[in-house]
Amino acid sequence: MELTQIALFLVLLLLVLLGSGVWIALALLGVGWAGLQFFTNTPPGASVASSLWGSVSSWSLAALPMFIWMGEILYRTRLAADLFEGLSPWLRWIPGRLLHINVLASGIFAAVIGSSAATTATVGKIALPELLRRGYPERLVLGSLAGSGTLGLLIPPSVMMIVYGVAAEVSVARLFIAGLLPGLLVMLLFMGWVMLAGLLNAKEMPPPDPPLPLGARLHGLLKILPVLLLMVAVIGSIYTGVATPTEAASLGVLGALIIALWTRSLSWQGLLESLMGAVRTSSMIGFILAGAAVLSIAMGFTGIPAALAAWVAGLGLSKYALLAVLMLLFLVLGAFLDGISIIVLTTSVILPLAKAVGIDLLWFGIFLVIAVELAQITPPVGFNLFVLQGLSGRDIFTIARSALPFLAMLLLAAALITVFPQIVTWLPARMTGG
């Protein structure tokens, strides 16, 4: 069979398996085994076994369960309520007022949780009922929560960056540092839109809260000081080279436990639940990575990625044309797959394409994470939309329409880092001195 027919068969097989409800990891594993068995001369047994072991024995992956556990611990503390109380007095005169809390709180939580869904759920549980009770327009509340929750993927430490770093063999520490400035850029774009929406919908906005004395406002800020210190400790230890990402993750867990003990907001039952939640999520991600590794090695033996890269190179597509096509592909995939699945399904094919046109894989990792952020708020399979659907009771398409302006802001962010790649590469270059 020609490579085109082989690729078409494997894609159709994957779609059939996914559409029939087979677990993503098993679908990837099955397609990889079929590719080796029927379209190569390589015995699948030894190749599958070595791929499964190699995919989950990487030392870079050791940071993953620790960052997830850190987020699970903080998810069960009083941190969300403290963030709302601490930030709200400082935002009463800014257009959009308390809607900015969704962006700021999500950015802070993203820096210690590393998960988009957990960030959305944590901030949404406290902010959604409070903002609706105060009379803020529901579409603005839902849209800002859905969009801001995606910051959990971009602002380090990010679970998605660890997955990409392992798949692309790119330094996770450099990816973390590379995500800082783009994360701040996205936060500024989101806050800019919230300000514009506040001005355009001024008649629907509730009156501002009564002013508080400076002392009371400063006391509120003290409540969010622990998480800010934890964020600085985790990211700062990586940036200064004091700790590897895995060591920083361990530091983050220790800090989260200290915060939980200090605030007396985590019971033994909550601690056990956080541990089990981290085990379930880490196992799920590891299983998907293992299945993707088998598919990747099968693709390599068939020669499809190399042929596709050669074909694209032969088309003479510029870097920008390829990035535009890939962004369109990610938008389509985001309507059906979660972010981790998008990364593990596509890296074996798109990384050779990126290399063929001279794209820096470190920069491309941040571009890909922004594209995956879009997937989090793209119906019908947008994880943030599912979370908010459960919190608000609204249908997923109503929430998706509310999030459309934030989807546009993410596209703008992707365009800005494409035109100005230094937004991504400057800090990592400073970290490594070159």
Side-chain angles (χ1 to χ4, degrees), residues 89-90 92 210-221:
W90 299 90
R92 57 187 308 273
L212 289 177
L214 179 62
R217 285 185 285 167
L218 292 175
H219 179 72
L221 283 181

Side-chain angles (χ1 to χ4, degrees), residues 8-31:
L8 182 60
F9 173 80
L10 293 177
V11 168
L12 289 176
L13 178 60
L14 180 61
L15 291 176
V16 169
L17 291 175
L18 292 174
S20 60
V22 175
W23 287 358
I24 291 172
L26 291 178
L28 296 172
L29 181 61
V31 173

Side-chain angles (χ1 to χ4, degrees), residues 71 170 182 218 281 292 298 300 329 337 351 365 383 428:
V170 174
L218 292 175
T281 304
L329 171 65
L337 297 171
L351 290 181
F383 273 26

Side-chain angles (χ1 to χ4, degrees), residues 186-213:
V186 172
M187 284 185 67
L188 290 175
L189 290 174
F190 284 174
M191 293 183 72
W193 171 255
V194 168
M195 292 176 66
L196 180 60
L199 292 173
L200 293 176
N201 299 275
K203 293 182 179 180
E204 300 179 52
M205 303 291 285
D209 292 342
L212 289 177

Side-chain angles (χ1 to χ4, degrees), residues 232-272:
V232 170
V234 171
I235 303 302
S237 64
I238 298 173
Y239 180 81
T240 58
V242 172
T244 65
T246 303
E247 293 165 345
S250 302
L251 176 66
V253 170
L254 178 61
L257 289 171
I258 292 173
I259 290 174
L261 289 173
W262 180 266
T263 58
R264 298 180 181 179
S265 56
L266 185 66
S267 63
W268 280 108
Q269 181 63 30
L271 180 62
L272 291 176

